[in-house]
Amino acid sequence: MTYFTCISFTLFSYYTGFQLYKKYKWDWLNPLYTGSIILILLLLTCHIREETFQQGSMIFNQLLKLAVVSLAVPLYKQWPLIRKNYKKICTGVIGGSILGIFTVVTMAQLFHLNQQILASLITKSVTLPIALMISSDLGGLSSTTVFFVISSGLISLIIGPKLLNQFRIKTKGARGLAMGTSGQMLGANRSRLWGEEEGAMGSVAMITSAIFLTILMPILPFLLKI
């Protein structure tokens, strides 16, 4: 009964959130967020504990891990584009990723965040399946990591296009790289709406930023003193 209830609540929440987004087309109504809010309200109303829900919705965690493999598909499809623009991609993604890590470390020092929060926050700019794996290895909290990744994506989705227009960044590749690096899947999806090249660069940026942070994984504990 618990498994059926948790899975039903999750599917219902996402479906309802998706229908709201489909009807109004507002960025802040993205089903990733509205679905989460609806699910939280359902769990609170039915007095379902977090541990019970995690156990009952284990199948979604397994599917999320499988989703990592699917990231290879857009990377394969965009291989000619990567070969042609690898210098721009490496410069943009590595620069953006390092700046993101530097920002997190600076915030941790300013606000005296503990090591567990730091480990959960450091992966905020990579796609969720990779972020959860890296955060877990560093000793972070899964729920906190999910919150930071989703919040980071939402903020990038809302203010990213405005900032790009404000600074008059018109280059298609640069706009896609910026959105994919900062907004992960949400940013990549937004860049697809702008055009084929922007969408391709957004997808490449999302994947390569995750690969870059994974490569840094062995030395991150020493850099962050976790």
Side-chain angles (χ1 to χ4, degrees):
M1 184 64 184
T2 303
Y3 291 99
F4 177 77
T5 303
C6 293
I7 291 173
S8 299
F9 278 6
T10 304
L11 293 177
F12 171 78
S13 301
Y14 180 80
Y15 177 78
T16 305
F18 179 73
Q19 292 301 319
L20 285 172
Y21 178 74
K22 189 177 176 182
K23 181 176 181 179
Y24 296 104
K25 301 289 186 184
W26 294 337
D27 288 338
W28 58 274
L29 278 181
N30 189 291
L32 191 59
Y33 314 109
T34 52
S36 299
I37 294 172
I38 295 170
L39 181 60
I40 291 172
L41 293 175
L42 285 173
L43 296 179
L44 291 174
T45 303
C46 297
H47 304 289
I48 297 177
R49 297 173 60 85
E50 178 190 350
E51 296 80 7
T52 305
F53 175 74
Q54 286 185 342
Q55 186 179 4
S57 60
M58 186 63 69
I59 185 173
F60 294 111
N61 292 333
Q62 299 303 324
L63 291 174
L64 196 59
K65 292 177 182 177
L66 287 176
V68 175
V69 181
S70 67
L71 294 178
V73 177
L75 202 61
Y76 172 75
K77 291 174 65 177
Q78 302 301 335
W79 186 245
L81 183 70
I82 295 173
R83 289 185 60 183
K84 183 180 178 181
N85 299 283
Y86 73 94
K87 290 182 180 178
K88 297 177 183 175
I89 294 170
C90 290
T91 303
V93 171
I94 293 175
S97 299
I98 291 176
L99 182 61
I101 294 173
F102 176 77
T103 304
V104 170
V105 173
T106 303
M107 287 177 58
Q109 292 179 345
L110 285 176
F111 297 103
H112 305 289
L113 302 180
N114 62 43
Q115 293 181 337
Q116 194 172 42
I117 297 296
L118 176 59
S120 305
L121 185 57
I122 200 69
T123 59
K124 68 174 180 59
S125 295
V126 297
T127 188
L128 189 55
I130 302 292
L132 285 172
M133 288 193 294
I134 296 177
S135 172
S136 176
D137 290 342
L138 292 175
L141 295 170
S142 298
S143 56
T144 309
T145 300
V146 171
F147 173 77
F148 284 136
V149 170
I150 291 177
S151 301
S152 173
L154 178 61
I155 293 171
S156 298
L157 187 65
I158 293 175
I159 70 172
K162 296 177 183 177
L163 283 177
L164 291 173
N165 292 332
Q166 185 71 26
F167 289 102
R168 299 181 179 180
I169 298 175
K170 304 293 184 183
T171 308
K172 295 180 179 179
R175 292 172 69 88
L177 283 175
M179 290 302 295
T181 304
S182 61
Q184 315 103 39
M185 182 60 77
L186 294 175
N189 285 335
R190 166 50 71 89
S191 61
R192 286 193 188 100
L193 298 178
W194 293 337
E196 184 177 353
E197 184 175 343
E198 292 95 325
M201 293 299 270
S203 298
V204 169
M206 176 189 70
I207 298 167
T208 50
S209 62
I211 294 174
F212 177 67
L213 196 62
T214 305
I215 293 173
L216 286 183
M217 178 61 201
I219 62 172
L220 274 179
F222 300 101
L223 292 176
L224 304 177
K225 298 179 180 178
I226 295 176

